[in-house]
Amino acid sequence: MEYSKTSLQKVDAPVALLLIDVINHFEFPDGVRTLRQAYKIAPAIARLKRRARRAGIPVIYVNDNFGDWRAERSVLLAYCLRSEAASAKFVSQLGPDEEDYFVLKPMHSAFYQTPLEVLLRHLGTHTIILAGLATNSCITCTAHDANMRDLQVFVPSDCSAARTIEEHRKAIRHLQTMANATTTRSQDLNLSAIKRKSRCDAT
């Protein structure tokens, strides 16, 4: 991507879509079970990303570094897309584009020890939509941290997954009651209306 001074200018993006740990190799305990559930949500996440792009909503990938402190986006993506990798079929549907943002995280929350909060402030973001893995860990931790920062949080119920359907459903109920998150299905999200409300609430 060519460097431009315009990249330093403040952006008017009241809403951002965060894709959590979708660049994933699933090489961890119960990774096979999580991948089985992840396959089910990949099409919905891909559709939501396309809708966000049309609505002018930036997409931010926030991804675990898998304990590799030298890793960067291209390295992680290449590893997860290896022909022999179980993750390839899932990740190939959800890879980042050049215009997407990419943030590495060391722990569960997308905010913990990352520049995400600074990036959201740069973008002028007051509302985030969370999608990805896993509903009962990284999505939940991120939602709580966002709520504590007075961000409005949406977690479309068909765009995240856990090891089991029951774990996912319990996490969705928890997010509704404890993280003040809206958990309607992605197809019912009116992105233009969410943008208008977020911009209005910020003034």
Side-chain angles (χ1 to χ4, degrees):
M1 186 188 306
E2 184 177 345
Y3 175 78
S4 170
K5 288 184 179 179
T6 58
S7 64
L8 301 178
Q9 297 175 355
K10 188 172 178 62
V11 181
D12 179 24
V15 181
L17 171 62
L18 273 61
L19 301 186
I20 308 295
D21 287 337
V22 298
I23 310 304
N24 202 313
H25 54 41
F26 299 94
E27 296 172 0
F28 49 81
D30 281 332
V32 173
R33 296 171 72 196
T34 304
L35 178 58
R36 192 176 301 125
Q37 298 301 320
Y39 282 140
K40 301 175 184 178
I41 64 169
I45 295 177
R47 286 192 297 269
L48 180 59
K49 181 181 176 181
R50 289 194 295 269
R51 290 178 56 207
R53 179 80 70 238
R54 291 195 296 269
I57 292 173
V59 179
I60 305 172
Y61 285 72
V62 186
N63 223 89
D64 198 280
N65 65 6
F66 305 123
D68 184 354
W69 294 92
R70 295 187 179 93
E72 58 184 26
R73 180 174 76 170
S74 60
V75 174
L76 292 175
L77 195 57
Y79 185 80
C80 294
L81 288 174
R82 298 174 351 266
S83 59
E84 69 274 19
S87 57
K89 181 180 177 182
F90 173 77
V91 175
S92 63
Q93 301 177 65
L94 300 172
D97 304 311
E98 283 299 317
E99 60 265 45
D100 296 329
Y101 298 90
F102 196 90
V103 174
L104 281 174
K105 64 182 178 71
M107 296 293 286
H108 299 84
S109 173
F111 288 92
Y112 180 73
Q113 299 294 316
T114 78
L116 178 61
E117 188 168 2
V118 177
L119 174 57
L120 294 178
R121 189 160 56 244
H122 165 73
L123 295 173
T125 298
H126 306 282
T127 299
I128 61 172
I129 303 170
L130 299 179
L133 303 165
T135 320
N136 58 344
S137 57
C138 298
I139 297 290
T140 293
C141 291
T142 300
H144 278 294
D145 277 359
N147 187 41
M148 287 189 290
R149 288 164 172 78
D150 292 324
L151 294 169
Q152 186 175 11
V153 180
F154 288 81
V155 184
S157 59
D158 57 326
C159 289
S160 63
R163 292 176 301 182
T164 67
I165 293 175
E166 184 57 27
E167 283 186 349
H168 168 71
R169 288 173 177 168
K170 285 182 178 179
I172 289 293
R173 290 194 294 269
H174 171 88
L175 288 164
Q176 291 170 340
T177 58
M178 301 302 294
N180 198 30
T182 301
T183 59
T184 186
R185 292 178 64 82
S186 59
Q187 65 195 34
D188 297 323
L189 293 178
N190 186 328
L191 299 182
S192 296
I194 292 171
K195 279 184 68 176
R196 287 194 298 270
K197 185 177 186 306
S198 184
R199 184 176 284 117
C200 181
D201 290 346
T203 59

